[in-house]
Amino acid sequence: MIKYIIRRILESIPTVIGVTIISFVLIHIVPGNPVRIMLGNHYTPLRAAELTKTLGLNKPVWEQYFIWLGNLLQGNFGFSYTYEKPVASLMLQALPHTIIIVVVAVLLAHVFAVFLGSVQAYFENSKFDQIATVINYFFYSMPSFWLAVLLVIFFSIDLPWLPSGGIVNTQLSNPGFGDWAKHLILPIATLFLVSVAGWARYMRSSMREALLQDYVRTARMKGSREFRVIFIHALRNSILPLITLFGLSLPALLSGALFVEEVFNYPGMGLLYWDAVNARDYPIIMGVTVFVGLVTVIGNLIADILYGLVDPRIQY
Amino acid sequence: MSEVLNITSLSVEFNINGEYYHAVNDVSFHINAGETLGLVGESGCGKSVTSLALVRLLAKSAKISGKALYNGRNLLDLSLEEMHQIRGKQIGMIFQEPMTSLNPVYKIGSQISETLRLHNKISNDEAKRQSLEMLRKVGIARPEEIMEEYPHQLSGGMRQRVMIAIAMINNPQLLIADEPTTALDVTIQAQILDLMRNLSRDFKTSLLLITHDLGVVAEMCDRVAVMYAGQIVEQGLVDDIFFNTNHPYTQGLLNAIPKIDVQNKDRLQPIVGNVPSLTRMPKGCRFATRCPHAMDRCKMESPPLMEIRENHQSRCWLNDAKVV
Ligand SMILES: Nc1ncnc2c1ncn2[C@@H]1O[C@H](COP(=O)(O)OP(=O)(O)O)[C@@H](O)[C@H]1O
Ligand SMILES: [Mg+2]
């Protein structure tokens, strides 16, 4: 097992390095110059040349890449152009905010999708199933930023129940936990809704198949009641494909978080990345890219390990 | 002798493209206490549907009519809760597919003790002890280790033994075995049949043994019901079925058994043709299209099940001709 994990991590190193090369080249190809953006109104060709040299941007791209990679291997993510702070500390500041919305949304979405999909499969083609399928498709086909905007219009403007962005109400003298939690509801709801829809569809088809298996007939023949048949006998088999799907859907989930954080002006990794892209703040862009690559690798690894725990036929 | 099971006029219809078609048509038979009844017929004759209808394991869309008295109670009228208490406790069932009938993600031990714990208020340890004992009874070596293993680690024969353990652990009065050995190697088949015979004798269990193999019937059964295209076509004591064979279909099945002492291979004659599909049942005798003795009348009129001697019935117009 330990050997398997180490092997998988070693195998993923070339992939992650490949991703960083592609990203590095891409951000240099994309028009827009960080120096120009940083200097703004104070721009003069002389100052620009000086700053370009200070930042090392005058060197060839491949040389810049190897300098960056060398620093990274020593644990140094570099220094942000715009914030003038170490990239690592900026990411560490943003990370908890993203973790809380993504983890809560993913957990809730999984539990709910597993339950909804199972019940839909059991009552296949009933009114309930049909209505749920339509609603699923509605959210499944909706881009996350669009859904986020709709939720803001509805819950923050039409019915001003929830804040439209940020993490704290600056007008309160002593904003507490309740205020913070209120700011989390809409970002979490957006990520939850767009994820539930897809997973529930998978769960429905997976459970549908499981319910037709011979071992389900055996379970009924033993005298199991239907609740037990579905949630003990069929469920554990039918969540197997969902575990793999979870690993594969992590990148999509993180890019969903990017748009959601932008719409809600929520100070997580997504917003950090978004602002960095606009400012051509290369060190931050590359730092977040490495982070997302690592999360994807680790997420897939966790999915594999979970799969092995649930399915005894898998040996590592 | 008391009857454990009495089926009267059992019919099952399936909805195929908006219309209902009979898969089982007016089937009646009974099983006495301690007796083994063989339900025989080629694949597609409605044997499995008959057995699943009894224990109400068919899809809700299947239309079932008739009576299925188990110790005098009509299984078809019981509430779902009453059925839950009968399945696995009073009636056990083994299926044709040992490779897929066990749940792949649970240990053998927990799958056996689950059946115990669903029906008895006993401790974990006690359930485990009884499961171990049952595994020994079904002839599994190293039962302690097998308890901790998963289905994929076991051979087909072993898995069928585990299925038998699950079906028998609550000491049911009736065991339904639907082609329990069809998927197994010949040598394993004999062992499993031996095991079932010994267990049902020791536990005084009545047995409904479904098979397409008359060789199995000869070894195991007291009485036989031969099924063709959803109907019983001949029914009687095992000796009468083999030695006073009446129905041409039964004769056809007998001719198709390979016999070791026959040198001339031409004597092995499978029945030509296929079982008619549900949607295309012939109007007269359902076997007429494949019957070597078919007369004009057979194609027009459906023969009733006629009593041809005591405890021996057959559904064939040839008997009517003899009487007249
Ligand atoms: N759920 C179903 N819907 C429609 N037809 C079915 C269904 N189950 C079985 N049948 C049909 O009923 C007939 C009898 O099947 P079955 O009882 O499985 O035969 P066997 O004697 O081989 O066990 C077959 O023609 C089969 O195709
Ligand atoms: Mg069958």
Side-chain angles (χ1 to χ4, degrees):
Chain A
M1 185 74 174
I2 303 279
K3 249 169 84 185
Y4 171 79
I5 293 175
I6 291 173
R7 204 187 75 217
R8 280 286 305 268
I9 290 177
L10 290 180
E11 277 171 4
S12 63
I13 288 177
T15 320
V16 174
I17 290 184
V19 168
T20 61
I21 293 177
I22 294 173
S23 308
F24 206 88
V25 170
L26 275 180
I27 54 176
H28 282 87
I29 291 175
V30 173
N33 182 334
V35 171
R36 188 159 216 127
I37 297 170
M38 281 167 78
L39 290 175
N41 293 335
H42 308 288
Y43 182 86
T44 64
L46 191 67
R47 278 183 179 163
E50 231 169 71
L51 189 54
T52 303
K53 204 167 168 200
T54 323
L55 297 178
L57 292 172
N58 54 341
K59 298 189 175 109
V61 172
W62 61 266
E63 200 183 326
Q64 290 182 42
Y65 176 76
F66 282 110
I67 292 172
W68 173 81
L69 188 64
N71 286 336
L72 181 71
L73 291 179
Q74 294 163 36
N76 181 1
F77 278 85
F79 217 72
S80 159
Y81 304 160
T82 38
Y83 299 94
E84 300 187 358
K85 279 186 186 167
V87 170
S89 79
L90 289 168
M91 293 205 314
L92 277 179
Q93 237 169 44
L95 188 59
H97 294 304
T98 298
I99 287 181
I100 185 122
I101 58 169
V102 169
V103 168
V104 171
V106 164
L107 285 182
L108 288 179
H110 263 92
V111 171
F112 188 76
V114 164
F115 184 76
L116 177 67
S118 300
V119 175
Q120 274 188 265
Y122 189 77
F123 295 106
E124 198 191 345
N125 296 332
S126 64
K127 272 267 144 17
F128 170 76
D129 179 32
Q130 286 167 359
I131 293 170
T133 300
V134 170
I135 296 176
N136 275 347
Y137 266 109
F138 179 76
F139 286 113
Y140 184 68
S141 53
M142 188 173 280
S144 53
F145 69 88
W146 179 240
L147 179 61
V149 169
L150 286 187
L151 289 180
V152 168
I153 293 174
F154 197 70
F155 289 103
S156 310
I157 299 174
D158 288 350
L159 306 165
W161 288 349
L162 292 168
S164 64
I167 46 164
V168 60
N169 186 344
T170 46
Q171 279 155 18
L172 293 179
S173 55
N174 185 15
F177 176 82
D179 177 60
W180 174 65
K182 258 188 181 174
H183 285 83
L184 298 183
I185 293 178
L186 287 184
I188 289 177
T190 312
L191 287 176
F192 170 82
L193 286 171
V194 292
S195 329
V196 154
W199 288 335
R201 287 176 60 224
Y202 269 95
M203 188 62 201
R204 178 182 179 275
S205 75
S206 173
M207 174 59 85
R208 213 177 77 108
E209 194 156 307
L211 286 172
L212 295 174
Q213 300 302 309
D214 291 335
Y215 59 78
V216 165
R217 187 180 58 189
T218 305
R220 292 205 167 101
M221 196 53 231
K222 289 174 172 181
S224 307
R225 284 163 189 79
E226 291 302 278
F227 184 85
R228 194 177 171 81
V229 169
I230 304 171
F231 291 107
I232 304 284
H233 284 276
L235 185 79
R236 187 145 167 201
N237 287 280
S238 54
I239 54 172
L240 290 172
L242 245 75
I243 295 175
T244 311
L245 188 70
F246 164 73
L248 294 174
S249 65
L250 262 183
L253 200 78
L254 290 174
S255 71
L258 171 77
F259 291 111
V260 169
E261 289 185 4
E262 203 277 324
V263 172
F264 289 105
N265 196 30
Y266 181 89
M269 295 284 272
L271 191 60
L272 183 69
Y273 185 77
W274 183 278
D275 290 343
V277 169
N278 284 331
R280 303 293 185 273
D281 194 334
Y282 297 153
I284 294 187
I285 297 177
M286 289 313 296
V288 176
T289 303
V290 170
F291 172 77
V292 171
L294 288 181
V295 168
T296 305
V297 168
I298 292 170
N300 275 307
L301 195 57
I302 291 175
D304 277 358
I305 292 169
L306 273 179
Y307 199 108
L309 290 180
V310 178
D311 188 346
R313 287 163 293 190
I314 305 292
Q315 299 283 324
Y316 295 111
Chain B
M1 226 194 290
S2 66
E3 285 177 357
V4 171
L5 188 70
N6 188 327
I7 309 286
T8 320
S9 299
L10 181 76
S11 292
V12 179
E13 290 163 78
F14 288 114
N15 188 331
I16 302 173
N17 299 327
E19 270 191 71
Y20 278 94
Y21 295 95
H22 278 92
V24 173
N25 202 338
D26 197 17
V27 161
S28 303
F29 60 81
H30 70 274
I31 303 178
N32 293 319
E35 189 180 49
T36 296
L37 176 78
L39 187 59
V40 199
E42 288 163 289
S43 180
C45 283
K47 309 179 299 289
S48 297
V49 172
T50 303
S51 64
L52 292 171
L54 295 183
V55 287
R56 307 249 303 268
L57 284 181
L58 288 174
K60 286 181 213 89
S61 57
K63 217 155 83 181
I64 307 176
S65 61
K67 269 191 200 161
L69 299 183
Y70 170 76
N71 284 329
R73 293 161 83 197
N74 188 356
L75 295 174
L76 304 183
D77 283 345
L78 295 184
S79 69
L80 265 186
E81 188 49 41
E82 287 169 308
M83 278 318 289
H84 288 143
Q85 282 159 22
I86 285 183
R87 292 184 199 139
K89 170 80 179 167
Q90 315 223 18
I91 302 180
M93 192 157 176
I94 308 166
F95 304 102
Q96 180 174 346
E97 304 83 6
M99 302 311 279
T100 50
S101 289
L102 293 166
N103 196 326
V105 299
Y106 292 109
K107 288 180 181 169
I108 300 295
S110 83
Q111 298 197 48
I112 299 175
S113 52
E114 180 188 18
T115 323
L116 268 174
R117 306 196 61 188
L118 279 168
H119 298 283
N120 310 282
K121 285 206 165 56
I122 53 172
S123 68
N124 239 335
D125 285 349
E126 178 60 17
K128 201 169 165 189
R129 198 190 59 75
Q130 290 189 26
S131 304
L132 257 177
E133 196 185 309
M134 194 67 215
L135 274 182
R136 261 187 217 110
K137 279 187 194 153
V138 296
I140 281 189
R142 314 179 287 121
E144 286 89 354
E145 287 160 55
I146 299 296
M147 289 277 284
E148 296 299 318
E149 289 188 359
Y150 290 94
H152 72 275
Q153 295 167 283
L154 273 54
S155 68
M158 296 263 274
R159 292 191 214 186
Q160 202 60 308
R161 285 175 196 269
V162 171
M163 281 300 291
I164 294 174
I166 289 173
M168 296 291 281
I169 196 160
N170 282 319
N171 194 1
Q173 246 193 310
L174 175 65
L175 178 67
I176 302 174
D178 188 353
E179 312 238 15
T181 59
T182 304
L184 304 174
D185 294 344
V186 184
T187 46
I188 312 285
Q189 278 188 18
Q191 292 171 14
I192 296 285
L193 288 175
D194 265 354
L195 172 67
M196 287 185 27
R197 189 170 36 218
N198 295 336
L199 278 181
S200 58
R201 190 190 55 222
D202 296 349
F203 284 54
K204 300 193 175 46
T205 313
S206 304
L207 185 58
L208 172 58
L209 179 64
I210 296 173
T211 174
H212 63 269
D213 183 347
L214 276 174
V216 171
V217 170
E219 265 183 69
M220 302 280 295
C221 300
D222 303 307
R223 281 189 307 113
V224 185
V226 181
M227 202 164 174
Y228 184 75
Q231 296 178 318
I232 302 270
V233 294
E234 185 167 2
Q235 182 164 203
L237 298 173
V238 70
D239 282 354
D240 281 336
I241 297 292
F242 278 87
F243 303 112
N244 296 314
T245 314
N246 183 276
H247 200 283
Y249 178 61
T250 315
Q251 191 60 56
L253 290 178
L254 283 169
N255 292 344
I257 306 179
K259 295 183 190 68
I260 302 163
D261 54 337
V262 175
Q263 275 108 39
N264 188 350
K265 286 209 176 82
D266 295 344
R267 295 265 306 273
L268 187 76
Q269 300 156 333
I271 313 172
V272 281
N274 294 310
V275 182
S277 78
L278 305 191
T279 51
R280 272 192 232 141
M281 276 304 164
K283 185 166 99 214
C285 171
R286 294 178 175 191
F287 188 57
T289 49
R290 303 170 73 188
C291 179
H293 311 290
M295 307 170 289
D296 285 345
R297 182 184 192 182
C298 303
K299 299 195 169 89
M300 307 305 297
E301 277 178 81
S302 177
L305 199 58
M306 291 173 264
E307 192 87 18
I308 53 172
R309 68 169 62 78
E310 207 191 338
N311 293 325
H312 190 175
Q313 297 116 36
S314 176
R315 189 187 288 277
C316 180
W317 284 128
L318 290 172
N319 299 307
D320 198 42
K322 279 177 218 153
V323 173
V324 171

Coordinates of all heavy atoms in Angstrom, one line a residue, chain B residues 47-48 96 178-179, ligand 2:
Chain B
K47 N -40.0 -22.0 -15.8 CA -39.7 -22.6 -14.5 C -39.2 -21.5 -13.5 O -39.7 -21.4 -12.3 CB -38.6 -23.6 -14.6 CG -38.9 -24.7 -15.7 CD -37.8 -25.7 -15.8 CE -36.4 -25.2 -16.2 NZ -36.3 -24.7 -17.6
S48 N -38.3 -20.7 -13.9 CA -37.8 -19.6 -12.9 C -38.9 -18.6 -12.6 O -39.1 -18.2 -11.5 CB -36.7 -18.9 -13.6 OG -35.6 -19.7 -13.8
Q96 N -29.4 -20.1 -9.9 CA -28.5 -20.8 -10.9 C -27.2 -20.2 -11.0 O -26.2 -20.8 -11.4 CB -29.2 -20.6 -12.3 CG -28.5 -21.3 -13.4 CD -29.3 -21.2 -14.7 OE1 -30.5 -21.0 -14.7 NE2 -28.6 -21.5 -15.8
D178 N -33.2 -23.4 -7.9 CA -33.4 -23.1 -9.4 C -32.1 -23.4 -10.1 O -31.2 -22.6 -10.1 CB -33.9 -21.6 -9.6 CG -34.3 -21.4 -11.0 OD1 -34.1 -22.3 -11.9 OD2 -34.8 -20.3 -11.3
E179 N -32.1 -24.6 -10.8 CA -30.9 -25.0 -11.5 C -29.6 -24.8 -10.7 O -28.7 -24.1 -11.2 CB -30.8 -24.2 -12.8 CG -32.1 -24.2 -13.6 CD -32.0 -24.7 -15.0 OE1 -31.0 -25.4 -15.3 OE2 -33.0 -24.5 -15.8
Ligands
MG2 MG -34.5 -20.5 -15.3

